[in-house]
Amino acid sequence: MTKFVKSPLSIALVSALLANTNTVFAAGFQIGEHSAASIGRANAGDGAIAGDASVIASNPALMTQLKQPTLSAALNYVEPDVAVDGTKTGGTEVAQDEIVPSVTIPSIFYVHPLNEKISLGIAAFTNFGLESQYDDDFTGSEFADTASITTININPSIAYQLNDQVSLGFGLNYLIAEAEFSSSVAGNDLLALEGDGTDYGWNAGISWQASSDTMIGLSYRSGFEIKLTGDATSDVIAAYNGDGELVLDLPEMANLSISHQLNDLLQLSASIDYTNWSTFEKLEGEIEGAGTVHIKDENWTEAYRYSVGATYQLNPAVKIRTGLAYDESPVEAEYRTLSIPDSNRVWYSAGANFVINDQTDMDMAYAYVDGEEVDVTESSSINTTFTGTSEGNANIVSIQLNTRF
């Protein structure tokens, strides 16, 4: 799925990966925009709150809490504001705003209880993705040009209620990815890539009704090793024109959540998310006729996300939500790049649920993601060096419809 073969590729490669569109705004290139209900709480308590069918993405064990067949569909609009500003070797100014385009990320979930103890579910969503798009006249195109990956995760699941307090869930995951990458200098492609790949994974979860008011959830998702196969082309290096493949390691993830019904009106929630980005060490390609080509060292680290939230029953037809989250970056300063100028970020979220009728309700949410301004120093494959800063913020708007049958 890729055409890759050189340091510029790494630029492109890891700076993309999303589902059905291309732009995510969690640390690394992870996507957490699955449901409007979750975004309204800054994803706090996702693995311990069974409000709709999107629990397939957060903790499949919670499917047993849904007593009717439930369909949930969401659209999440992400409007990033990512900018870089600096100079490269020779004093040339390198700057651009709006590097990451806006995008709409869809997801859909369906849960069907077979009986009082067993529930089945199926979902289509994404956990990873990003796109960076630099202008044609960008003076740092040897560092980063265009990168795009579209992914979708198909996730059939099953849940079993072990007893009145404990439920177990399990799911299989089929990940489909398409990608296109390029880097250039003086109008010539250093590397252009295009291709696709697939892989399988699994996820599991457990929910524990610790008391009548408190639910605790723990869930896990395996990582992926996606073999991207396709064509590599270069106007600069003849050996880099041909068939190639590259294995992209995507991290395993875990979530610990708690929700507590403080009184009849107020529910509090919190989560800790763990993403094992340390598996993302380097990028290497295999090109027909050229052999193994070292593209780039990444050396990412493990990362955590901490979130707290609240849900308040304003009246019988309306709930309001709010949340706060701190999202750690897995990219250490020395490995930060123009294609993924990642940084720590803070989420501020608010949302609401509106009852339409006995079978249908709607969620809406808004989140502002405030990223730190960070320093970036990067060397290219043609021996130029960029020194400057990057900053990324985003607005996220989400809408979701839930229907029970």
Side-chain angles (χ1 to χ4, degrees), residues 203-223:
N203 66 294
I206 181 171
S207 64
W208 174 39
Q209 191 76 55
S211 72
S212 59
D213 297 321
T214 303
M215 178 74 82
I216 297 173
L218 178 65
S219 62
Y220 170 85
R221 283 189 175 273
S222 70

Side-chain angles (χ1 to χ4, degrees), residues 25 49 60 87 135 140 142 160-161 173 177 195-196 235 251 279 304 315 320 325 334 384:
F25 223 76
I49 298 175
T87 59
D135 294 339
E142 69 267 34
Y160 178 73
Q161 187 166 336
N173 296 266
D196 53 45
D235 296 327
T279 60
Y304 290 85
N315 58 51
I320 56 175
E334 61 206 276
T384 57

Side-chain angles (χ1 to χ4, degrees), residues 47-374:
I49 298 175
D52 55 66
S54 66
V55 295
I56 297 173
S58 56
N59 184 353
L62 293 172
M63 292 193 299
T64 61
Q65 300 293 311
L66 303 177
K67 302 306 181 183
Q68 297 174 269
T70 303
L71 176 68
S72 297
L75 290 175
N76 307 286
Y77 176 74
V78 184
E79 183 184 56
D81 181 11
V82 181
V84 298
D85 187 12
T87 59
K88 69 177 183 179
T89 302
T92 302
E93 182 180 2
V94 177
Q96 184 177 320
D97 297 328
E98 299 180 359
I99 295 165
V100 180
S102 300
V103 67
T104 301
I105 305 170
S107 56
I108 189 166
F109 310 88
Y110 178 70
V111 173
H112 188 89
L114 288 182
N115 53 47
E116 292 182 356
K117 287 189 174 291
I118 300 175
S119 294
L120 301 179
I122 189 165
F125 59 96
T126 186
N127 283 320
F128 301 98
L130 182 75
E131 181 177 26
S132 60
Q133 253 182 24
Y134 285 89
D135 294 339
D136 292 342
D137 59 355
F138 179 60
T139 55
S141 60
E142 69 267 34
F143 302 99
D145 191 356
T146 297
S148 171
I149 295 185
T150 297
T151 72
I152 187 168
N153 184 33
I154 309 299
N155 189 182
S157 304
I158 185 170
Y160 178 73
Q161 187 166 336
L162 196 61
N163 54 46
D164 290 343
Q165 288 78 42
V166 178
S167 290
L168 306 175
F170 180 80
L172 295 174
N173 296 266
Y174 179 58
L175 188 72
I176 305 167
E178 296 181 353
E180 180 179 355
F181 309 110
S182 68
S183 58
S184 62
V185 61
N188 296 310
D189 284 337
L190 291 172
L191 182 66
L193 321 170
E194 188 175 336
D196 53 45
T198 63
D199 194 28
Y200 295 90
W202 62 277
N203 66 294
I206 181 171
S207 64
W208 174 39
Q209 191 76 55
S211 72
S212 59
D213 297 321
T214 303
M215 178 74 82
I216 297 173
L218 178 65
S219 62
Y220 170 85
R221 283 189 175 273
S222 70
F224 294 93
E225 290 187 358
I226 305 176
K227 181 182 289 187
L228 309 177
T229 60
D231 302 318
T233 60
S234 174
D235 296 327
V236 179
I237 302 176
Y240 289 167
N241 288 275
D243 296 335
E245 67 179 40
L246 176 148
V247 176
L248 179 62
D249 290 318
L250 298 179
E252 60 185 344
M253 300 179 289
N255 171 276
L256 175 63
S257 293
I258 184 170
S259 66
H260 178 71
Q261 195 69 41
L262 189 64
N263 53 47
D264 290 343
L265 300 179
L266 180 61
Q267 181 189 59
L268 303 178
S269 56
S271 289
I272 300 175
D273 292 274
Y274 165 80
T275 306
N276 186 22
W277 282 113
S278 64
T279 60
F280 193 47
E281 297 178 349
K282 61 184 178 180
L283 292 173
E284 287 185 341
E286 292 287 337
I287 297 180
E288 185 177 355
T292 300
V293 178
H294 181 76
I295 299 169
K296 188 175 184 181
D297 291 322
E298 296 295 344
N299 296 314
W300 285 19
T301 62
E302 299 172 337
Y304 290 85
R305 185 180 190 274
Y306 308 92
S307 56
V308 293
T311 303
Y312 183 77
Q313 189 76 51
L314 189 62
N315 58 51
V318 180
K319 292 179 184 177
I320 56 175
R321 304 182 176 104
T322 188
L324 178 69
Y326 178 72
D327 202 358
E328 290 182 346
S329 170
V331 186
E332 295 183 347
E334 61 206 276
Y335 297 109
R336 196 174 289 129
T337 67
L338 291 186
S339 55
I340 311 180
D342 201 50
S343 67
N344 299 330
R345 60 205 71 186
V346 178
W347 288 55
Y348 305 92
S349 297
N353 173 270
F354 304 94
V355 174
I356 298 174
N357 55 44
D358 291 342
Q359 286 76 41
T360 304
D361 61 85
M362 180 176 65
D363 293 292
M364 300 181 70
Y366 168 77
Y368 177 70
V369 185
D370 184 12
E372 296 178 358
E373 182 177 299
V374 293

